[in-house]
Amino acid sequence: MADRLKLGLAGIGTVGGGLLRLIEAHAGALSERAGQPIEVVAVSARNKRKKRDVDLSGLRFVQDPIKLATDPEIDVFVELIGGEEGIAKEAVETALRAGKHVVTANKALLAHHGPNLAALAEKHGVALNFEGAVAGGIPVVKVIREGLQGNDIARVYGILNGTCNYILTLMEREGRSFADVLKEAQEQGYAEADPTFDVGGFDTAHKLALLTSLAFGTRTKFDAVYVEGIESITPADIEAADDLGYRIKLLGVALRTDSGIEQRVHPTMVPKDTAIANVDGVSNCVAIDGDFVGDVMLIGPGAGGGPTASAVMSDIIDIARGQVLPPFGIKAKNLRAYRKAQMRAHEGGYYIRLSVHDRTGAFAAIAQRMAAQGISLESIVQRRPQTELPGQGTRGGGPAGVVMVTHETTEAAVRKALVAIERDGHVDAKPQMIRIEKL
Ligand code: HSE
């Protein structure tokens, strides 16, 4: 056994800084658990002089991460740069080709290039570990790849983005609009200056693509993920959900269906009395339905320097112990291509909110359009319009909020019905449609 495990750390941002602090705080215990001391011997960052709250003195600085990737002194290249292409990809490939183990928290890189990078790692007999890439501090990669290997997994789903969960939680608690809460989250540093990646659902989709490969042994295919963000959710939806016994969460869901594997990210109604409905704030949650184990759920911090560093360190210790597993649990060449289930074939219940002109026959026409698509309604409720005065009804016949909940139906049927309803001219805004998840 080598006398110590030597790391080259590329990227000293929130997670890189967290990793340096973790190593400093727990050096003795880490050494015992790993069977050898773990030491950062060289670092790379875009800006050497940037003010950081970690001490870099004593660490060799290598300006170019690609140079660091082949540094003869390092055993493990820790990539915490980020980004699906460019320098991160080049550095990881270079490290693998040079026979260095790689630990990364880069979900975008793996969601787009996972199988190829896994094949490269296997070819060179090194590890490509990515616990920090999915749900931050929640050790879900290991749980699926190692703890649940004995199972056939039918579904994996979860709350995989802390920013969205924080925004939805605040909208619910304080009755505020999406834009208002997002602005505050940006001011407080919970949301990025460009929040599209988080609120648009893409970050969740990257993580879901990785969970899908781990759970089903399939090739990672980011483009097969259907993505909707939380931008369209209004206080009216949150209030209606509450009245109906639901909460709205941005879920990533991957499941096997008769028509292939469904991978989808969208705002979802979840029953209030379920555990996932009560995962609030920046927390994440991942649930796995296995045939022998039953339903497993993990809840914890999904982002941040400390939690992600915790995940990265677990990957490093595995390497120190000599454990090199196929990154996705089975050999890269055996990762299966699969049929993507089309969203229009998705089956489930739907919440639909319409802003309906107050005209005779409008309700009847809407109900008819739903019936024409074979959609059975569980409930239809006219919500109190903004302009209503208690006991006096609406003023001036303004549009009424109508909320429908369907029994199980298909996405194709709902979409066709909504197109027809819009075409009939009884609504004055685009219908809102939120899927209800069976839990
Ligand atoms: N931005 C992510 C989140 C964390 O808000 O959960 C990194 O993927």
Side-chain angles (χ1 to χ4, degrees):
M1 196 196 292
D3 59 341
R4 59 201 170 116
L5 190 77
K6 289 165 281 179
L7 313 180
L9 171 60
I12 322 170
T14 313
V15 181
L19 185 66
L20 290 171
R21 273 190 293 276
L22 189 155
I23 293 173
E24 198 186 332
H26 294 317
L30 295 177
S31 172
E32 265 176 16
R33 291 168 197 161
Q36 58 185 304
I38 289 172
E39 193 183 314
V40 177
V41 294
V43 295
S44 169
R46 219 174 1 204
N47 180 358
K48 184 179 177 179
R49 274 171 245 295
K50 186 177 162 186
K51 206 168 145 19
R52 297 180 171 86
D53 55 2
V54 284
D55 182 15
L56 299 183
S57 61
L59 294 176
R60 182 157 57 85
F61 192 86
V62 180
Q63 184 69 49
D64 181 359
I66 295 166
K67 269 227 160 72
L68 179 62
T70 57
D71 192 292
E73 209 193 344
I74 71 165
D75 305 306
V76 183
F77 180 67
V78 182
E79 186 271 306
L80 300 174
I81 303 168
E84 70 186 68
E85 301 291 339
I87 198 90
K89 177 167 180 272
E90 206 181 322
V92 165
E93 287 172 341
T94 305
L96 295 173
R97 283 199 190 97
K100 310 286 187 192
H101 300 289
V102 170
V103 173
T104 177
N106 188 337
K107 61 225 92 184
L109 174 70
L110 289 165
H112 287 275
H113 306 289
N116 291 343
L117 294 174
L120 197 57
E122 287 167 25
K123 183 174 165 198
H124 293 277
V126 291
L128 170 62
N129 290 345
F130 57 93
E131 186 60 76
V134 186
I138 302 177
V140 63
V141 174
K142 286 186 207 306
V143 165
I144 299 179
R145 194 175 55 190
E146 294 155 50
L148 298 178
Q149 293 174 81
N151 292 266
D152 245 5
I153 292 173
R155 176 171 66 165
V156 56
Y157 63 98
I159 295 171
L160 302 171
N161 185 273
T163 306
C164 288
N165 208 39
Y166 175 81
I167 292 174
L168 290 171
T169 303
L170 244 68
M171 285 177 71
E172 185 186 346
R173 281 191 193 150
E174 298 174 8
R176 291 160 63 197
S177 72
F178 167 77
D180 189 25
V181 176
L182 172 62
K183 189 164 166 278
E184 186 185 293
Q186 284 172 314
E187 281 160 9
Q188 293 176 347
Y190 287 123
E192 303 283 343
D194 177 3
T196 324
F197 209 66
D198 288 318
V199 300
F202 304 105
D203 176 72
T204 301
H206 282 148
K207 295 166 184 168
L208 185 70
L210 298 178
L211 288 174
T212 306
S213 288
L214 287 160
F216 304 134
T218 49
R219 289 184 71 78
T220 321
K221 212 159 121 193
F222 176 72
D223 295 344
V225 186
Y226 172 83
V227 188
E228 260 178 38
I230 62 168
E231 304 95 324
S232 74
I233 302 299
T234 66
D237 295 319
I238 289 182
E239 197 186 307
D242 186 47
D243 290 350
L244 291 162
Y246 293 102
R247 291 215 162 102
I248 301 175
K249 297 288 181 189
L250 184 77
L251 293 196
V253 183
L255 83 159
R256 294 180 194 273
T257 73
D258 292 342
S259 57
I261 291 181
E262 199 171 277
Q263 288 182 87
R264 48 190 166 84
V265 173
H266 50 71
T268 311
M269 297 266 190
V270 290
K272 264 191 219 176
D273 60 357
T274 54
I276 199 164
N278 293 289
V279 175
D280 284 334
V282 293
S283 293
N284 278 200
C285 164
V286 190
I288 305 129
D289 303 344
D291 59 349
F292 275 70
V293 69
D295 298 349
V296 173
M297 182 172 279
L298 306 160
I299 299 173
T308 312
S310 154
V312 168
M313 181 46 73
S314 75
D315 280 343
I316 294 170
I317 292 181
D318 282 350
I319 293 169
R321 289 171 172 165
Q323 175 171 285
V324 177
L325 297 177
F328 291 98
I330 60 174
K331 285 209 176 310
K333 71 174 170 38
N334 294 333
L335 289 169
R336 287 177 290 282
Y338 63 92
R339 193 143 55 102
K340 164 187 164 180
Q342 300 298 321
M343 247 345 251
R344 61 175 180 274
H346 168 71
E347 291 177 11
Y350 287 79
Y351 156 100
I352 295 159
R353 181 175 52 77
L354 304 170
S355 177
V356 181
H357 292 301
D358 187 7
R359 289 184 197 134
T360 308
F363 258 44
I366 288 164
Q368 208 172 21
R369 290 299 187 186
M370 300 298 277
Q373 293 302 327
I375 299 170
S376 162
L377 295 178
E378 186 181 293
S379 72
I380 176 162
V381 178
Q382 179 167 339
R383 313 264 319 162
R384 187 158 57 107
Q386 302 278 318
T387 49
E388 186 176 324
L389 298 173
Q392 294 176 38
T394 51
R395 286 181 296 182
V402 171
V403 167
M404 298 185 279
V405 174
T406 76
H407 283 294
E408 186 151 313
T409 180
T410 64
E411 177 113 357
V414 171
R415 287 195 179 276
K416 277 189 204 147
L418 293 183
V419 167
I421 288 167
E422 273 196 276
R423 208 185 302 126
D424 288 343
H426 294 304
V427 292
D428 80 337
K430 198 173 149 32
Q432 172 68 297
M433 181 262 270
I434 303 176
R435 297 165 192 88
I436 300 171
E437 194 70 17
K438 232 196 274 169
L439 297 173

